[in-house]
Every structure is written in structure tokens, then in C-alpha cells.
Amino acid sequence: MEILNRQEALVTNYEVLMVLQEEDQRYKKIKSAPYAKYPENVHTLKFEALKYLNSTACATQSAEQILSLKNGLAGYDLTKAEVLQIINLRPKKQVELYLIIEECEERFASEDVEDILRVVTSALPRDDDDEDEEAGDNMEEGEDEMDVDNN
């Protein structure tokens, strides 16, 4: 395999998902043609990648949300790789952001970190926010029951 047009770019999981879905649709339209045969390992790779990406947060993202997030983060001195990881991982806790941003405590005040988290959660709402709140409520109820049992 020879690379004819080399382009270096960082792409989000959302962008990879869109390309794979477009390729899948294109292949379904022309798969009856004899020249449209893919090697089996390419089918497997595409299937596994689509399966994984559809199970992640990128399946619920939109191009508008990503653009909104990039604009919201433009005021912070973040590298392209850090912005990419924020888009892909959607952090919602400070500890997650500290793992993504190199030397975070040296580069940003805690107020800035909280602001970044607010930008992320407003631009890229997560589906598991409701589930986490319910789990937290259930855990608090369980703690109350444990206190009653221990007395």
C-alpha cells in the first residue's frame, strides 16, 4: 500500500464514525459490483470500529456541538491534542480533566478548570448524566438503610 496524498490531521472519534458510516453506506450501494469486493479483514475492521464507536459518546455528538466546544475552549491555552481528547472523552470531573491536560495545575487555576468543565458539559451533554444522578440517589438511599441496620 502506498500513500499518495499524505495529510496529517487530528480527527475526533465523531469524524471517524462519520467516515466509516459513509463508507458503509457507499459499500452497501455498490456491493453487487464485482470490483466492490473488500478483503474479509477490512470488513471485520470496519465492523468492529463501528460497533465500538457506536457504543461511545461520539455516537450522540453532532458537528455543531463539536464546533461550539472548540469555540468555547478557544480562550484557553490548550493544545490540539488536549482539545481532541476533551472532545473524545467528555470529562465531567476535575480529575478527568487533570489527566487530559498536561501540567494542568501549573497552567490553570482551579476556577479555570471549573470553567472548562462547564464549557464541556454545556456544549457536549452526556447521556450518562441522568444515570449518574440516579446512581448517586440510590447510593444515598442505601447508605441511609445501612445506618438504620447498624443501629
Side-chain angles (χ1 to χ4, degrees), residues 78-92:
L78 296 168
T79 66
K80 290 179 183 180
E82 290 167 345
V83 172
L84 178 72
Q85 288 183 25
I86 289 171
I87 292 169
N88 287 342
L89 300 175
R90 289 183 174 178
K92 63 180 183 177

Side-chain angles (χ1 to χ4, degrees), residues 53-77:
L53 291 172
N54 279 318
S55 70
T56 64
C58 75
T60 61
Q61 290 177 345
S62 70
E64 294 81 22
Q65 289 175 327
I66 292 173
L67 184 61
S68 172
L69 178 63
K70 284 182 178 180
N71 291 337
L73 295 176
Y76 301 97
D77 187 28

Side-chain angles (χ1 to χ4, degrees), residues 8-150:
E8 293 182 17
L10 299 174
V11 293
T12 64
N13 288 353
Y14 170 78
E15 293 166 322
V16 173
L17 178 62
M18 293 298 105
V19 168
L20 288 174
Q21 287 176 339
E22 289 171 9
E23 177 61 24
D24 197 37
Q25 292 301 318
R26 187 183 68 77
Y27 179 73
K28 286 178 182 177
K29 288 179 183 175
I30 64 166
K31 74 177 179 181
S32 61
Y35 60 85
K37 300 292 182 198
Y38 283 165
E40 186 63 32
N41 59 348
V42 173
H43 281 295
T44 303
L45 179 65
K46 187 171 58 170
F47 173 78
E48 292 294 330
L50 281 169
K51 181 179 170 185
Y52 168 73
L53 291 172
N54 279 318
S55 70
T56 64
C58 75
T60 61
Q61 290 177 345
S62 70
E64 294 81 22
Q65 289 175 327
I66 292 173
L67 184 61
S68 172
L69 178 63
K70 284 182 178 180
N71 291 337
L73 295 176
Y76 301 97
D77 187 28
L78 296 168
T79 66
K80 290 179 183 180
E82 290 167 345
V83 172
L84 178 72
Q85 288 183 25
I86 289 171
I87 292 169
N88 287 342
L89 300 175
R90 289 183 174 178
K92 63 180 183 177
K93 297 179 182 174
Q94 275 192 357
V95 69
E96 295 171 331
L97 207 51
Y98 276 79
L99 292 171
I100 294 171
I101 300 174
E102 189 173 335
E103 299 175 348
C104 188
E105 65 263 354
E106 296 170 10
R107 292 170 51 195
F108 300 104
S110 62
E111 296 83 23
D112 291 335
V113 174
E114 286 295 326
D115 289 342
I116 292 171
L117 285 174
R118 272 191 227 95
V119 169
V120 172
T121 55
S122 67
L124 297 176
R126 291 172 55 146
D127 294 338
D128 62 349
D129 286 339
D130 296 333
E131 295 171 8
D132 288 348
E133 289 175 9
E134 290 175 11
D137 292 343
N138 290 340
M139 190 163 62
E140 289 173 6
E141 292 172 7
E143 289 173 357
D144 292 341
E145 291 173 6
M146 286 176 46
D147 290 340
V148 172
D149 292 340
N150 291 335

